[in-house]
Every structure is written in structure tokens, then in C-alpha cells.
Amino acid sequence: MNTNWKQDPRLKNMNPQKLSMLTEFAKRAESAPKDQLFPTLMSLSAEASQKGIQFSDEETDLLISIISANMNPGERQRIETIRMLSKNMMKRNGKK
């Protein structure tokens, strides 16, 4: 598994529980088929919510960079589109 993402300076001040979840996510993302990355991300999000953990936009961006590291430009665009849709859904749900 490529662990270069662990050197990202954004991780220095991250909560250890979140860092543990990111590590678990990276392991899952590496072994998941590309068409299962979004469900994998949603699963991690659900697990985090159950534990009372919320990832900031910056932390979510880091997740996206992890899963898209070995993707071609088209796949990266698809992930970014999913990210934007997810962000919009969260905004709508937060306003209810």
C-alpha cells in the first residue's frame, strides 16, 4: 500500500481517531473495485457518524486525494462530481 499520504502536513494536528479511520479507509480503498469507492466512502462516513466523528471539508478533500491517487483523469473527474453532489446533499440536509 502506498503510504505517501501519511506525510501530508494536514495530518499533523488531526485527531488520532480520525487518523485511524483514514488509515482504515486507505486500506479499504486500495482493495475495493473502483466502482465501489463511493460506497466505501459512504460506509466510512456512516461509521464515523456512529462514533460521533465528523470530517471537515479539508479532511474530506484528503480522503478524495487518497482514493483518486491512482485514477485516470476521467475517474478523478467522476470522484470530484460525486464529492460535489455529496457536499450539496449535506448542505440541504443540514438546513432541514
Side-chain angles (χ1 to χ4, degrees):
M1 173 162 78
N2 183 345
T3 58
N4 290 337
W5 64 271
K6 289 184 179 183
Q7 305 307 314
D8 192 298
R10 295 176 287 183
L11 298 175
K12 287 184 181 180
N13 297 317
M14 187 179 284
N15 173 311
Q17 269 187 309
K18 288 182 179 182
L19 190 54
S20 176
M21 292 197 82
L22 285 175
T23 301
E24 176 61 27
F25 175 74
K27 288 177 188 175
R28 290 184 199 177
E30 184 179 60
S31 63
K34 289 181 182 179
D35 65 340
Q36 293 298 308
L37 289 176
F38 186 68
T40 300
L41 179 60
M42 292 296 95
S43 173
L44 178 73
S45 178
E47 287 175 36
S49 291
Q50 289 175 351
K51 294 178 180 180
I53 298 172
Q54 293 183 351
F55 288 94
S56 68
D57 284 344
E58 185 176 84
E59 292 164 339
T60 302
D61 289 342
L62 180 56
L63 283 172
I64 299 301
S65 70
I66 291 168
I67 64 172
S68 64
N70 295 317
M71 293 181 175
N72 66 45
E75 292 168 328
R76 282 191 201 115
Q77 181 61 45
R78 182 172 172 231
I79 290 292
E80 185 55 35
T81 299
I82 291 169
R83 164 88 168 111
M84 294 307 294
L85 291 171
S86 174
K87 198 181 233 185
N88 289 337
M89 282 181 10
M90 290 177 78
K91 284 181 184 177
R92 272 189 247 132
N93 290 337
K95 292 182 181 178
K96 287 184 177 181

